[in-house]
Amino acid sequence: NGVNFHQRPYFRMLLNLLMDMSAPDPNFEKENFQLLSAFCNTFHVCNPLRLPNFAFAWLELVSNRTFMPKLLMVKNQRGWFMFQRLLVQLLYFLEPHLRRVQLDESTRLLYKGTVRMLLVLLHDFPQFLCDYHFSFCDIMPIPCVQIRNLILSAFPWSMKLPDPFMPNLKVDLLPEIKVAPRILANYTTTLLQVHLKHDVDAYMRTREKGLLDVIKDKLRLPKRETLQLDTKYNVPLLNALLLYIGVHLPQHGKALPGQGGLQQNNPSLEIFMYLAHNFDYEGRYLFLGAIANHLRYPNTHTHYFSCVLLYLFDNTHDEVVREQITRVLLERLIVHRPHPWGLLITFIELIKNRRYEFWSHSFVKC
């Protein structure tokens, strides 16, 4: 405990156990999942949130070739949730440092190690990142663009991404665009906080404008939590709200011209438009960032939320809203690759389609 704690002996002991477990042995092979589960529980108990001085050894152990690949290759993906829990604990540990952009040398090294582990996951187990992206994005602070892009760039092994720079690419005609992605996150439970789901469902039935104010106000954090988290808004609750509105509520009516993924007279669009115009600057930035988190590989969510973002840009009369949409997209594109496919598609459509008159707006001129 404290500064006198030496992690190396414990690291060597656990690593030797992992190496022994990975040695060819028919007895171990039969009990492979039980052994991996035992190691998962051990790593869960000594995670960086509980033992910060063990963080480097912990990251080395959970990303080791004798543990991470074997756990993620267990039949029927039984090990995925256990590894997701470990990765969430690591991201929660890094979050305060990344949020305040205060990285000393040791934290910077831990961050680099995390990025390298995510790159391995992106290359070898992209479906894992696809399925759990929502829970990871709930934790990622605003400045953490690189890790967010890494997670959102994942796409299934079986898919070949169309070239986003291909001339006359018809996104709405792609067969993949009609397939809904799998999201392994219980976001509907998040909406039960402060009875937000009830308010959204009530608005869908009644279209009572007063409920929109109630929904917006419930997204704000109490003052004590605002000071602790450096934000006025409950970001996981906002993320859950947007996904519920966009995906689970009925979509009725004729398609909007030029926006094949959206329908006229849609209560979902009314909520999106209300939040875009009635949030303050911080709230709108978080709201637009939450929409951009769904711009991933070709699927129904990517298409829908891409259309929503373009619809907001086209139909708002507030130049500040357009400027913030541009900022959210550009911030994610000016960093190193990889860039999510849906993000590229949306930005290319925005600047090339004359409908949006992107280059005529004041914020793109000196």
Side-chain angles (χ1 to χ4, degrees):
N1 208 358
V3 292
N4 295 321
F5 175 79
H6 297 290
Q7 58 183 329
R8 186 173 294 177
Y10 302 95
F11 167 70
R12 296 299 303 175
M13 179 180 67
L14 288 168
L15 182 61
N16 286 336
L17 287 172
L18 276 174
M19 299 291 285
D20 290 342
M21 182 193 71
S22 66
D25 189 319
N27 296 318
F28 278 176
E29 287 175 9
K30 293 176 185 177
E31 307 298 330
N32 185 45
F33 182 63
Q34 285 77 9
L35 288 167
L36 288 168
S37 298
F39 275 102
C40 271
N41 291 330
T42 301
F43 296 147
H44 173 64
V45 169
C46 63
N47 73 79
L49 290 168
R50 300 184 66 176
L51 294 173
N53 290 340
F54 193 60
F56 283 96
W58 185 91
L59 179 59
E60 173 68 25
L61 289 166
V62 299
S63 61
N64 193 276
R65 60 185 173 82
T66 61
F67 176 72
M68 183 175 79
K70 289 178 179 281
L71 181 64
L72 293 175
M73 288 191 292
V74 171
K75 286 183 180 179
N76 302 319
Q77 302 173 353
R78 288 184 295 165
W80 284 25
F81 175 73
M82 289 186 284
F83 192 76
Q84 181 262 356
R85 184 175 64 167
L86 296 175
L87 188 50
V88 162
Q89 290 168 337
L90 174 61
L91 294 177
Y92 269 123
F93 176 72
L94 286 170
E95 190 272 339
H97 306 282
L98 298 174
R99 175 175 15 112
R100 299 183 179 119
V101 201
Q102 294 175 346
L103 301 181
D104 55 26
E105 191 58 35
S106 59
T107 311
R108 188 175 285 107
L109 284 172
L110 194 65
Y111 171 78
K112 286 182 179 178
T114 303
V115 170
R116 287 175 181 174
M117 182 175 71
L118 287 170
L119 282 168
V120 172
L121 289 171
L122 180 64
H123 184 270
D124 294 345
F125 302 97
Q127 190 64 55
F128 170 77
L129 294 180
C130 291
D131 290 354
Y132 286 105
H133 84 281
F134 192 80
S135 57
F136 299 145
C137 286
D138 272 350
I139 307 168
M140 288 292 94
I142 291 170
C144 199
V145 179
Q146 186 180 27
I147 284 183
R148 187 185 292 106
N149 272 0
L150 273 175
I151 292 168
L152 298 179
S153 295
F155 60 94
W157 268 113
S158 57
M159 182 179 292
K160 184 177 181 181
L161 292 182
D163 181 2
F165 300 100
M166 184 188 301
N168 302 317
L169 176 64
K170 302 293 183 185
V171 174
D172 52 339
L173 297 180
L174 296 173
E176 299 90 348
I177 220 72
K178 297 178 175 62
V179 180
R182 184 169 65 162
I183 296 181
L184 299 181
N186 198 4
Y187 55 90
T188 50
T189 302
T190 306
L191 283 176
L192 298 178
Q193 296 177 27
V194 296
H195 306 291
L196 188 59
K197 183 176 181 295
H198 174 267
D199 296 323
V200 175
D201 292 339
Y203 177 77
M204 292 313 213
R205 290 192 307 270
T206 64
R207 301 285 187 96
E208 184 185 335
K209 299 299 182 184
L211 286 169
L212 293 174
D213 287 324
V214 173
I215 291 169
K216 180 174 73 75
D217 291 340
K218 285 187 175 182
L219 293 169
R220 293 181 71 95
L221 289 170
K223 188 173 182 180
R224 179 175 55 83
E225 293 183 45
T226 296
L227 296 173
Q228 182 183 353
L229 299 173
D230 298 329
T231 179
K232 299 193 290 286
Y233 294 94
N234 186 333
V235 176
L237 188 59
L238 176 61
N239 291 340
L241 172 67
L242 296 190
L243 187 56
Y244 180 71
I245 292 172
V247 176
H248 284 282
L249 293 177
Q251 312 290 334
H252 299 300
K254 296 180 180 179
L256 286 166
Q259 300 287 353
L262 306 178
Q263 289 78 31
Q264 293 175 346
N265 195 29
N266 190 321
S268 301
L269 282 182
E270 291 176 9
I271 298 177
F272 285 133
M273 189 62 83
Y274 174 85
L275 293 177
H277 288 101
N278 290 275
F279 269 137
D280 59 12
Y281 198 88
E282 179 193 358
R284 190 185 304 113
Y285 179 75
L286 294 171
F287 162 74
L288 296 171
I291 293 177
N293 287 344
H294 295 286
L295 305 179
R296 303 188 293 144
Y297 62 92
N299 60 61
T300 54
H301 295 188
T302 295
H303 187 219
Y304 179 82
F305 284 101
S306 176
C307 290
V308 166
L309 215 51
L310 294 170
Y311 174 84
L312 293 175
F313 190 96
D314 189 32
N315 289 273
T316 182
H317 300 294
D318 189 344
E319 195 75 348
V320 174
V321 175
R322 293 193 181 100
E323 184 175 356
Q324 277 195 284
I325 291 173
T326 305
R327 175 190 171 186
V328 165
L329 295 175
L330 271 178
E331 280 181 344
R332 298 175 184 222
L333 289 170
I334 61 175
V335 297
H336 291 299
R337 291 183 296 175
H339 301 119
W341 180 87
L343 192 71
L344 289 167
I345 283 292
T346 305
F347 191 68
I348 290 169
E349 176 69 10
L350 184 63
I351 62 176
K352 282 194 170 183
N353 193 330
R354 294 180 181 178
R355 172 194 183 98
Y356 305 109
E357 299 180 340
F358 180 80
W359 300 107
S360 67
H361 294 292
S362 59
F363 58 83
V364 298
K365 299 174 183 177
C366 295

